[in-house]
Amino acid sequence: MLTTTKEILRKAQEGHYAVGAFNVENMEMVQAVLEAAEELRSPVIMQTTPSTVRYAGLDYYLANVRTAAEKTDIPVVMHLDHGNSFELAMQALRTGYTSIMIDGSHESFEDNMKVSKSVVEACHPSGIPVEAELGKVGGKEDDLDGGDNNPYTDPEEAKEFVKKTGVDSLAVGIGTAHGIYKGEPKLQFDILSEISKVVDIPLVLHGTSGVPDEAVKECIRRGICKVNYATDLRIAFTEGLENYLKKHPGTIDPKKYNAAGRAKVKEYVMEKIKVCGSEGKAS
Ligand code: 13P
């Protein structure tokens, strides 16, 4: 059965580790993430963005992840990543997603609070937790370009935002960006610590592909409980597939090259679960 982020992130917060949230684009990526998490006995979050959802529909992705969850005894969550409207958040809720992000970070502070609060009010009666974002993660995030300038999350605003909206977890802007980094990202660890001091819900790190593992671990020590990886999974899948086709040109069976992509994604996810420190935390 699918679980929600509520329990697994609370445990992560208490235990000072994080749970990896991996963007899945197809069945093989779902299988890869599940195999990696099972082998390491780690709870795991699988998530899809609006553009992924547009490609095949919430129900197709949910069916894959739900099937994965039914095959295992480790906690598996199906999360909507960067929900960009109240309507999409409600569709995901009705479809059966067990965790919802509403991303109003591109709106004004007031409008972000308003939409986040309305999603919380709609999701909480069904026991579904809500992640929101305050401050911006730079780079290209799904369909939206966050730009190169990262306005960091203001700790005092974060405190007010959490109190007034009732969100269950908060994505923060501390210098990460989605996509591929041009240079090494400079993370604002002090801002993260300031936010942790005044906000008691689990904090979320976005744009983690390409962030050095040591920096991710430092973020976890300072209050990050959910770590999002997307771009690197796509790269891993594509590399696996390309390598296979280079070695076996003329292959026409998608099972063959997709399996090679799946193996690469599994390898990558196992590495990142260890970085998050959630190995062995499944029960
Ligand atoms: P990356 O693509 O940089 O890993 O970011 C993932 C993410 O934050 C998804 O919400």
Side-chain angles (χ1 to χ4, degrees):
M1 263 208 1
L2 285 167
T3 182
T4 76
T5 35
K6 186 93 187 154
E7 303 101 82
I8 66 169
L9 293 186
R10 190 181 32 81
K11 279 193 194 163
Q13 194 178 25
E14 283 166 11
H16 306 288
Y17 61 91
V19 179
F22 302 99
N23 286 66
V24 288
E25 309 279 355
N26 58 25
M27 179 189 77
E28 286 79 5
M29 289 169 92
V30 171
Q31 292 174 316
V33 174
L34 180 75
E35 279 178 26
E38 268 203 308
E39 236 168 273
L40 295 174
R41 301 293 306 156
S42 167
V44 76
I45 300 163
M46 301 205 216
Q47 54 188 19
T48 55
T49 59
S51 72
T52 303
V53 166
R54 265 203 313 282
Y55 178 72
L58 289 156
D59 48 358
Y60 264 99
Y61 294 104
L62 177 67
N64 273 309
V65 177
R66 188 181 269 154
T67 304
E70 281 164 2
K71 288 181 182 299
T72 186
D73 62 341
I74 62 163
V76 177
V77 174
M78 184 55 177
H79 176 77
L80 176 68
D81 188 26
H82 291 291
N84 52 8
S85 67
F86 178 82
E87 291 70 29
L88 181 61
M90 293 308 100
Q91 282 165 18
L93 176 69
R94 279 196 297 272
T95 305
Y97 275 51
T98 54
S99 178
I100 305 280
M101 178 182 187
I102 177 70
D103 182 0
S105 65
H106 302 274
E107 311 293 333
S108 67
F109 180 66
E110 291 303 326
D111 286 349
N112 188 359
M113 277 212 294
K114 205 165 143 197
V115 70
S116 300
K117 188 168 191 278
S118 58
V119 172
V120 166
E121 281 166 356
C123 288
H124 278 186
S126 326
I128 299 300
V130 176
E131 173 184 328
E133 179 169 321
L134 185 65
K136 287 191 183 71
V137 178
K140 180 128 172 55
E141 159 197 294
D142 206 27
D143 296 332
L144 287 167
D145 196 344
D148 287 331
N149 302 322
N150 295 321
Y152 305 123
T153 305
D154 178 289
E156 280 310 308
E157 275 192 3
K159 186 179 168 186
E160 184 187 347
F161 186 94
V162 169
K163 194 168 166 224
K164 290 196 176 154
T165 58
V167 295
D168 303 273
S169 58
L170 186 69
V172 291
I174 56 162
T176 56
H178 294 101
I180 298 168
Y181 289 96
K182 291 182 197 117
E184 190 165 310
K186 297 208 177 0
L187 303 197
Q188 305 299 313
F189 296 118
D190 290 349
I191 295 181
L192 178 56
S193 295
E194 287 305 311
I195 301 167
S196 293
K197 267 189 220 151
V198 292
V199 166
D200 60 359
I201 58 170
L203 301 177
V204 182
L205 188 67
H206 280 243
T208 319
S209 295
V211 176
D213 292 342
E214 274 317 306
V216 176
K217 287 182 188 169
E218 185 59 30
C219 289
I220 295 168
R221 280 193 283 273
R222 291 172 188 248
I224 290 291
C225 302
K226 172 175 178 273
V227 180
N228 285 12
Y229 293 98
T231 304
D232 277 351
L233 270 79
R234 293 185 189 134
I235 294 173
F237 187 80
T238 309
E239 267 177 15
L241 196 146
E242 280 176 351
N243 290 344
Y244 186 90
L245 288 173
K246 257 186 229 149
K247 274 195 211 144
H248 308 278
T251 305
I252 57 142
D253 183 350
K255 294 191 287 301
K256 299 256 165 63
Y257 46 77
N258 282 340
R262 179 172 64 192
K264 272 271 179 203
V265 173
K266 178 179 172 187
E267 231 175 79
Y268 177 83
V269 172
M270 286 183 79
E271 246 178 61
K272 296 310 171 188
I273 285 175
K274 289 178 189 163
V275 171
C276 287
S278 63
E279 187 179 356
K281 309 285 190 196
S283 50

